[in-house]
mmCIF file of all heavy atoms in Angstrom:
data_model
loop_
_atom_site.group_PDB
_atom_site.id
_atom_site.type_symbol
_atom_site.label_atom_id
_atom_site.label_comp_id
_atom_site.label_asym_id
_atom_site.label_seq_id
_atom_site.Cartn_x
_atom_site.Cartn_y
_atom_site.Cartn_z
ATOM 1 N N PHE C 120 136.367 -60.612 187.746
ATOM 2 C CA PHE C 120 135.933 -59.664 188.768
ATOM 3 C C PHE C 120 134.408 -59.640 188.713
ATOM 4 O O PHE C 120 133.824 -59.262 187.693
ATOM 5 C CB PHE C 120 136.503 -58.272 188.486
ATOM 6 C CG PHE C 120 136.242 -57.271 189.582
ATOM 7 C CD1 PHE C 120 137.233 -56.961 190.496
ATOM 8 C CD2 PHE C 120 135.011 -56.633 189.694
ATOM 9 C CE1 PHE C 120 136.998 -56.038 191.508
ATOM 10 C CE2 PHE C 120 134.770 -55.714 190.698
ATOM 11 C CZ PHE C 120 135.771 -55.420 191.617
ATOM 12 N N VAL C 147 137.275 -62.380 192.146
ATOM 13 C CA VAL C 147 137.146 -61.323 193.153
ATOM 14 C C VAL C 147 135.729 -60.788 193.074
ATOM 15 O O VAL C 147 135.220 -60.530 191.972
ATOM 16 C CB VAL C 147 138.140 -60.173 192.887
ATOM 17 C CG1 VAL C 147 137.975 -59.068 193.923
ATOM 18 C CG2 VAL C 147 139.578 -60.684 192.861
ATOM 19 N N CYS C 148 135.055 -60.649 194.207
ATOM 20 C CA CYS C 148 133.699 -60.095 194.158
ATOM 21 C C CYS C 148 133.495 -59.069 195.266
ATOM 22 O O CYS C 148 134.276 -58.965 196.205
ATOM 23 C CB CYS C 148 132.647 -61.196 194.230
ATOM 24 S SG CYS C 148 132.410 -61.930 195.855
ATOM 25 N N TYR C 149 132.422 -58.303 195.118
ATOM 26 C CA TYR C 149 132.054 -57.273 196.091
ATOM 27 C C TYR C 149 131.545 -57.885 197.389
ATOM 28 O O TYR C 149 130.924 -58.961 197.393
ATOM 29 C CB TYR C 149 130.898 -56.425 195.557
ATOM 30 C CG TYR C 149 131.200 -55.377 194.533
ATOM 31 C CD1 TYR C 149 130.138 -54.776 193.836
ATOM 32 C CD2 TYR C 149 132.480 -54.945 194.239
ATOM 33 C CE1 TYR C 149 130.349 -53.792 192.889
ATOM 34 C CE2 TYR C 149 132.712 -53.960 193.300
ATOM 35 C CZ TYR C 149 131.639 -53.381 192.620
ATOM 36 O OH TYR C 149 131.851 -52.399 191.695
ATOM 37 N N VAL C 150 131.714 -57.154 198.482
ATOM 38 C CA VAL C 150 130.879 -57.299 199.683
ATOM 39 C C VAL C 150 130.400 -55.904 200.065
ATOM 40 O O VAL C 150 131.146 -54.933 199.960
ATOM 41 C CB VAL C 150 131.635 -57.953 200.867
ATOM 42 C CG1 VAL C 150 131.867 -59.429 200.619
ATOM 43 C CG2 VAL C 150 132.962 -57.249 201.157
ATOM 44 N N VAL C 175 136.270 -57.585 197.779
ATOM 45 C CA VAL C 175 136.599 -56.166 197.932
ATOM 46 C C VAL C 175 135.391 -55.466 198.535
ATOM 47 O O VAL C 175 134.246 -55.759 198.174
ATOM 48 C CB VAL C 175 136.975 -55.519 196.583
ATOM 49 C CG1 VAL C 175 138.345 -55.978 196.121
ATOM 50 C CG2 VAL C 175 135.929 -55.806 195.506
ATOM 51 N N VAL C 176 135.631 -54.566 199.454
ATOM 52 C CA VAL C 176 134.550 -53.773 200.039
ATOM 53 C C VAL C 176 134.085 -52.757 199.004
ATOM 54 O O VAL C 176 134.890 -52.002 198.444
ATOM 55 C CB VAL C 176 135.025 -53.068 201.325
ATOM 56 C CG1 VAL C 176 134.031 -51.995 201.743
ATOM 57 C CG2 VAL C 176 135.202 -54.090 202.443
ATOM 58 N N GLU C 177 132.785 -52.744 198.735
ATOM 59 C CA GLU C 177 132.227 -51.825 197.750
ATOM 60 C C GLU C 177 131.774 -50.541 198.425
ATOM 61 O O GLU C 177 130.875 -50.548 199.272
ATOM 62 C CB GLU C 177 131.041 -52.448 197.007
ATOM 63 C CG GLU C 177 130.494 -51.513 195.938
ATOM 64 C CD GLU C 177 129.133 -51.920 195.401
ATOM 65 O OE1 GLU C 177 128.541 -52.890 195.921
ATOM 66 O OE2 GLU C 177 128.651 -51.249 194.473
ATOM 67 N N LEU C 178 132.381 -49.433 198.020
ATOM 68 C CA LEU C 178 131.978 -48.114 198.494
ATOM 69 C C LEU C 178 130.924 -47.566 197.547
ATOM 70 O O LEU C 178 131.144 -47.450 196.341
ATOM 71 C CB LEU C 178 133.185 -47.170 198.531
ATOM 72 C CG LEU C 178 132.894 -45.725 198.948
ATOM 73 C CD1 LEU C 178 132.461 -45.653 200.412
ATOM 74 C CD2 LEU C 178 134.121 -44.841 198.703
ATOM 75 N N ALA C 179 129.754 -47.217 198.084
ATOM 76 C CA ALA C 179 128.685 -46.668 197.255
ATOM 77 C C ALA C 179 129.101 -45.324 196.669
ATOM 78 O O ALA C 179 129.922 -44.594 197.236
ATOM 79 C CB ALA C 179 127.403 -46.509 198.072
ATOM 80 N N GLY C 187 126.366 -50.851 197.349
ATOM 81 C CA GLY C 187 127.553 -50.346 198.024
ATOM 82 C C GLY C 187 127.252 -49.783 199.395
ATOM 83 O O GLY C 187 126.107 -49.489 199.747
ATOM 84 N N ILE C 188 128.317 -49.625 200.166
ATOM 85 C CA ILE C 188 128.216 -49.143 201.545
ATOM 86 C C ILE C 188 128.301 -47.623 201.540
ATOM 87 O O ILE C 188 129.187 -47.041 200.926
ATOM 88 C CB ILE C 188 129.350 -49.746 202.396
ATOM 89 C CG1 ILE C 188 129.327 -51.270 202.288
ATOM 90 C CG2 ILE C 188 129.233 -49.309 203.845
ATOM 91 C CD1 ILE C 188 130.611 -51.932 202.746
ATOM 92 N N CYS C 194 131.916 -49.278 206.152
ATOM 93 C CA CYS C 194 132.896 -50.048 205.380
ATOM 94 C C CYS C 194 133.831 -50.808 206.314
ATOM 95 O O CYS C 194 134.155 -51.985 206.083
ATOM 96 C CB CYS C 194 133.709 -49.122 204.480
ATOM 97 S SG CYS C 194 132.841 -48.503 203.022
ATOM 98 N N GLY C 211 140.895 -55.723 198.854
ATOM 99 C CA GLY C 211 140.908 -54.347 198.395
ATOM 100 C C GLY C 211 139.576 -53.662 198.521
ATOM 101 O O GLY C 211 138.696 -54.091 199.296
ATOM 102 N N VAL C 212 139.417 -52.595 197.740
ATOM 103 C CA VAL C 212 138.195 -51.787 197.743
ATOM 104 C C VAL C 212 137.811 -51.503 196.294
ATOM 105 O O VAL C 212 138.651 -51.509 195.389
ATOM 106 C CB VAL C 212 138.388 -50.463 198.509
ATOM 107 C CG1 VAL C 212 138.732 -50.722 199.963
ATOM 108 C CG2 VAL C 212 139.461 -49.592 197.856
ATOM 109 N N ALA C 213 136.528 -51.234 196.077
ATOM 110 C CA ALA C 213 136.069 -51.007 194.707
ATOM 111 C C ALA C 213 134.735 -50.284 194.731
ATOM 112 O O ALA C 213 134.108 -50.106 195.779
ATOM 113 C CB ALA C 213 135.944 -52.342 193.953
ATOM 114 N N GLY C 214 134.282 -49.907 193.542
ATOM 115 C CA GLY C 214 132.985 -49.262 193.375
ATOM 116 C C GLY C 214 132.779 -48.875 191.931
ATOM 117 O O GLY C 214 133.593 -49.186 191.059
ATOM 118 N N TYR C 215 131.685 -48.174 191.702
ATOM 119 C CA TYR C 215 131.306 -47.796 190.340
ATOM 120 C C TYR C 215 130.935 -46.323 190.308
ATOM 121 O O TYR C 215 129.867 -45.927 190.796
ATOM 122 C CB TYR C 215 130.149 -48.660 189.856
ATOM 123 C CG TYR C 215 129.571 -48.250 188.525
ATOM 124 C CD1 TYR C 215 130.399 -48.000 187.427
ATOM 125 C CD2 TYR C 215 128.199 -48.118 188.347
ATOM 126 C CE1 TYR C 215 129.873 -47.618 186.203
ATOM 127 C CE2 TYR C 215 127.661 -47.750 187.121
ATOM 128 C CZ TYR C 215 128.502 -47.501 186.062
ATOM 129 O OH TYR C 215 127.988 -47.130 184.848
ATOM 130 N N GLU C 216 131.810 -45.518 189.741
ATOM 131 C CA GLU C 216 131.625 -44.062 189.739
ATOM 132 C C GLU C 216 130.499 -43.595 188.831
ATOM 133 O O GLU C 216 130.035 -42.462 188.931
ATOM 134 C CB GLU C 216 132.937 -43.374 189.345
ATOM 135 C CG GLU C 216 133.272 -43.416 187.863
ATOM 136 C CD GLU C 216 133.637 -44.801 187.356
ATOM 137 O OE1 GLU C 216 134.013 -45.677 188.177
ATOM 138 O OE2 GLU C 216 133.536 -45.025 186.134
ATOM 139 N N TRP C 230 134.538 -38.607 194.576
ATOM 140 C CA TRP C 230 134.215 -39.952 195.044
ATOM 141 C C TRP C 230 135.402 -40.899 194.866
ATOM 142 O O TRP C 230 135.691 -41.714 195.739
ATOM 143 C CB TRP C 230 132.998 -40.507 194.301
ATOM 144 C CG TRP C 230 132.707 -41.908 194.716
ATOM 145 C CD1 TRP C 230 132.025 -42.314 195.826
ATOM 146 C CD2 TRP C 230 133.156 -43.111 194.070
ATOM 147 N NE1 TRP C 230 132.004 -43.692 195.899
ATOM 148 C CE2 TRP C 230 132.693 -44.194 194.841
ATOM 149 C CE3 TRP C 230 133.892 -43.354 192.916
ATOM 150 C CZ2 TRP C 230 132.950 -45.516 194.479
ATOM 151 C CZ3 TRP C 230 134.153 -44.666 192.549
ATOM 152 C CH2 TRP C 230 133.677 -45.734 193.337
ATOM 153 N N LEU C 234 137.426 -43.317 197.552
ATOM 154 C CA LEU C 234 137.761 -44.723 197.378
ATOM 155 C C LEU C 234 139.241 -44.963 197.659
ATOM 156 O O LEU C 234 139.617 -45.908 198.360
ATOM 157 C CB LEU C 234 137.409 -45.170 195.961
ATOM 158 C CG LEU C 234 137.597 -46.652 195.648
ATOM 159 C CD1 LEU C 234 136.598 -47.497 196.419
ATOM 160 C CD2 LEU C 234 137.452 -46.904 194.144
ATOM 161 N N LEU C 237 139.921 -44.752 201.331
ATOM 162 C CA LEU C 237 139.476 -45.950 202.032
ATOM 163 C C LEU C 237 140.545 -47.041 201.932
ATOM 164 O O LEU C 237 140.833 -47.733 202.920
ATOM 165 C CB LEU C 237 138.151 -46.437 201.435
ATOM 166 C CG LEU C 237 137.522 -47.666 202.105
ATOM 167 C CD1 LEU C 237 137.157 -47.367 203.555
ATOM 168 C CD2 LEU C 237 136.285 -48.134 201.326
ATOM 169 N N ALA C 238 141.137 -47.193 200.756
ATOM 170 C CA ALA C 238 142.213 -48.172 200.604
ATOM 171 C C ALA C 238 143.393 -47.816 201.514
ATOM 172 O O ALA C 238 143.978 -48.708 202.167
ATOM 173 C CB ALA C 238 142.675 -48.221 199.152
ATOM 174 N N VAL C 254 143.934 -54.556 195.710
ATOM 175 C CA VAL C 254 143.082 -54.227 194.574
ATOM 176 C C VAL C 254 142.324 -52.929 194.859
ATOM 177 O O VAL C 254 141.670 -52.794 195.901
ATOM 178 C CB VAL C 254 142.071 -55.358 194.299
ATOM 179 C CG1 VAL C 254 141.132 -54.975 193.146
ATOM 180 C CG2 VAL C 254 142.794 -56.667 193.992
ATOM 181 N N VAL C 255 142.436 -51.965 193.955
ATOM 182 C CA VAL C 255 141.612 -50.761 193.972
ATOM 183 C C VAL C 255 140.976 -50.667 192.595
ATOM 184 O O VAL C 255 141.684 -50.550 191.582
ATOM 185 C CB VAL C 255 142.431 -49.495 194.282
ATOM 186 C CG1 VAL C 255 141.511 -48.275 194.315
ATOM 187 C CG2 VAL C 255 143.171 -49.636 195.599
ATOM 188 N N SER C 256 139.643 -50.738 192.536
ATOM 189 C CA SER C 256 138.984 -50.898 191.239
ATOM 190 C C SER C 256 137.779 -49.981 191.088
ATOM 191 O O SER C 256 136.997 -49.787 192.020
ATOM 192 C CB SER C 256 138.545 -52.357 191.048
ATOM 193 O OG SER C 256 137.912 -52.523 189.800
ATOM 194 N N ALA C 257 137.640 -49.440 189.888
ATOM 195 C CA ALA C 257 136.479 -48.640 189.492
ATOM 196 C C ALA C 257 136.481 -48.604 187.974
ATOM 197 O O ALA C 257 137.292 -49.264 187.325
ATOM 198 C CB ALA C 257 136.554 -47.237 190.084
ATOM 199 N N PHE C 270 143.560 -42.408 190.182
ATOM 200 C CA PHE C 270 144.371 -43.573 190.538
ATOM 201 C C PHE C 270 145.863 -43.285 190.389
ATOM 202 O O PHE C 270 146.693 -43.850 191.102
ATOM 203 C CB PHE C 270 143.976 -44.779 189.693
ATOM 204 C CG PHE C 270 142.730 -45.492 190.177
ATOM 205 C CD1 PHE C 270 141.904 -44.929 191.146
ATOM 206 C CD2 PHE C 270 142.386 -46.738 189.672
ATOM 207 C CE1 PHE C 270 140.760 -45.596 191.584
ATOM 208 C CE2 PHE C 270 141.244 -47.407 190.113
ATOM 209 C CZ PHE C 270 140.437 -46.825 191.068
ATOM 210 N N LEU C 283 142.614 -51.394 188.933
ATOM 211 C CA LEU C 283 141.842 -52.210 187.991
ATOM 212 C C LEU C 283 140.682 -51.409 187.397
ATOM 213 O O LEU C 283 139.715 -51.070 188.089
ATOM 214 C CB LEU C 283 141.318 -53.454 188.707
ATOM 215 C CG LEU C 283 140.755 -54.575 187.846
ATOM 216 C CD1 LEU C 283 141.807 -55.115 186.878
ATOM 217 C CD2 LEU C 283 140.223 -55.699 188.729
ATOM 218 N N ARG C 285 137.461 -51.161 184.711
ATOM 219 C CA ARG C 285 136.499 -52.168 184.292
ATOM 220 C C ARG C 285 135.611 -51.730 183.119
ATOM 221 O O ARG C 285 134.577 -52.348 182.863
ATOM 222 C CB ARG C 285 135.618 -52.578 185.475
ATOM 223 C CG ARG C 285 136.376 -53.002 186.722
ATOM 224 C CD ARG C 285 135.481 -53.699 187.715
ATOM 225 N NE ARG C 285 134.312 -52.944 188.064
ATOM 226 C CZ ARG C 285 134.241 -52.038 189.044
ATOM 227 N NH1 ARG C 285 135.315 -51.764 189.777
ATOM 228 N NH2 ARG C 285 133.116 -51.411 189.310
#
Side-chain angles (χ1 to χ4, degrees):
F120 187 100
V147 179
C148 75
Y149 282 167
V150 288
V175 287
V176 166
E177 182 194 5
L178 177 67
I188 305 163
C194 285
V212 299
Y215 173 48
E216 77 291 340
W230 177 82
L234 185 68
L237 182 63
V254 177
V255 181
S256 180
F270 280 11
L283 193 60
R285 307 194 306 272

